[in-house]
Amino acid sequence: MSQSDSAEATAFSSTTPTPSHQTKSVAATPDDAPKSRVRKRSDAPFFIVMSGFSATFILLIVLLLVADLRFTSLSDFRDALSKPEIIAATRLTITSCSVAAILSLWVAVPLGYLLSRYRFPLRWLIDTIVDIPIVLPPLVLGLSLLILFHQPIGDWQLERFLGDRGFSVTYRWPAVVLAQFSVACAFAVRTMRVTFDQIDPRTEDVARTLGCTRGQAFLTVTLPQARRGMIAATTIAWARSLGEFGPILVFAGATRMRTEVLSTTVFLELSVGELDSAVAVSLLMVAMAIVVLLILRLLGTGLNT
């Protein structure tokens, strides 16, 4: 390189502006400080508004529970729960909710998996049908179950067919389980579908390349990863079954010592003017729901580990 070329290069480098990331600290302009102060001030109203809306709902639930607790006394609560019909209703409630939750899980796992992983014809229709029990009025669902079992098809009727084989459903305890299952299963399917959506399908593909069949990959790879979702689905199904009322009243009735569950017990006690007993049973249902939710959530989170 000649002396003239080097001189031109030196002159060019001295006149070229230095990039912003290579410059030393530059004094902040007067407009920067007000902007930072404005951002800091805007956080407080945001959290106040968000917390206010959230606290409104939480306060409503707490006030409802406090009102129930103040309305009844410990002696009234003990007397109400010592009634034979309420004891029988409690036993049937625990049994039917557990059976409905287990059945819901058995359906929710395969159906949620198929809806999450595969695109097949009429998938949108099946996805819509699953949501029908969620949006359908409870009394309509119970009426539909009643019609299904008593609708004659020629000389054949489902209730008569089952009754001839010693397994009548309508206005008996199986009707309670079926009414609870019809609603709870829809919530369990939604939970399991979201669970499988969050699991990376590549782990199954890797297992299949290593020699596993599709079923083996599902059982050994995907299903263990969906454990918490399965517990959540069971929890939601059990809690939803506990609060079911309309379909049970229409399809199973509210016969004392036979098809009475705690939700219908509240209705029966109110209908005869036993407000104290109705409130006591309501508190019992709240306590049962809280205990089940806490136990299953602790199991699902591995005792918070």
Side-chain angles (χ1 to χ4, degrees):
M1 181 182 292
S2 63
Q3 294 181 354
S4 60
D5 292 339
S6 61
E8 291 177 359
T10 303
F12 176 77
S13 61
S14 63
T15 58
T16 302
T18 305
S20 59
H21 68 274
Q22 296 179 355
T23 59
K24 295 182 179 179
S25 60
V26 180
T29 61
D31 294 336
D32 291 339
K35 289 181 180 179
S36 62
R37 287 197 297 269
V38 170
R39 285 196 295 269
K40 290 181 179 179
R41 286 198 302 266
S42 64
D43 291 344
F46 171 78
F47 285 111
I48 290 174
V49 172
M50 299 293 284
S51 301
F53 282 111
S54 304
T56 301
F57 176 72
I58 295 175
L59 182 61
L60 174 63
I61 302 301
V62 172
L63 290 177
L64 291 175
L65 296 177
V66 170
D68 289 340
L69 290 171
R70 287 179 56 86
F71 183 84
T72 186
S73 63
L74 184 59
S75 60
D76 294 335
F77 184 80
R78 184 172 55 251
D79 294 340
L81 299 185
S82 62
K83 294 181 179 179
E85 55 270 21
I86 295 181
I87 295 175
T90 303
R91 189 182 300 112
L92 179 59
T93 298
I94 295 174
T95 303
S96 62
C97 289
S98 300
V99 174
I102 293 172
L103 292 176
S104 298
L105 186 64
W106 275 95
V107 174
V109 169
L111 184 53
Y113 179 81
L114 292 176
L115 291 174
S116 173
R117 287 287 192 269
Y118 300 103
R119 300 295 182 266
F120 48 86
L122 299 180
R123 175 178 173 273
W124 62 271
L125 180 60
I126 296 177
D127 198 23
T128 303
I129 293 174
V130 170
D131 286 336
I132 289 179
I134 298 177
V135 300
L136 201 65
L139 291 176
V140 175
L141 181 60
L143 181 61
S144 300
L145 287 171
L146 189 64
I147 293 174
L148 172 65
F149 276 78
H150 291 271
Q151 179 71 38
I153 303 177
D155 295 332
W156 186 85
Q157 187 186 73
L158 181 57
E159 179 65 28
R160 188 186 309 117
F161 173 80
L162 295 175
D164 293 340
R165 285 152 181 79
F167 192 75
S168 298
V169 175
T170 307
Y171 300 121
R172 288 172 173 81
W173 69 264
V176 176
V177 175
L178 184 56
Q180 294 172 337
F181 166 78
S182 300
V183 179
C185 187
F187 290 91
V189 170
R190 286 290 157 229
T191 304
M192 290 310 305
R193 179 182 176 181
V194 173
T195 299
F196 289 122
D197 285 342
Q198 296 174 349
I199 297 176
D200 191 351
R202 288 181 296 180
T203 56
E204 288 184 70
D205 296 336
V206 172
R208 294 182 63 194
T209 59
L210 296 176
C212 290
T213 63
R214 188 177 297 274
Q216 290 173 335
F218 172 75
L219 293 175
T220 59
V221 177
T222 304
L223 206 58
Q225 296 183 66
R227 179 178 63 90
R228 293 186 179 181
M230 294 169 64
I231 294 176
T234 306
T235 303
I236 294 173
W238 202 99
R240 193 63 187 85
S241 300
L242 177 66
E244 204 56 54
F245 172 72
I248 296 176
L249 186 64
V250 175
F251 185 46
T255 307
R256 292 280 195 184
M257 310 293 292
R258 188 173 180 180
T259 60
E260 180 186 2
V261 291
L262 290 178
S263 57
T264 54
T265 297
V266 176
F267 169 75
L268 293 175
E269 294 297 325
L270 285 175
S271 63
V272 296
E274 293 290 341
L275 187 57
D276 292 337
S277 298
V279 174
V281 174
S282 300
L283 289 175
L284 176 61
M285 294 177 66
V286 171
M288 291 171 60
I290 292 176
V291 169
V292 171
L293 291 175
L294 289 177
I295 292 176
L296 291 180
R297 285 181 179 178
L298 286 175
L299 294 175
T301 57
L303 297 177
N304 296 324
T305 58

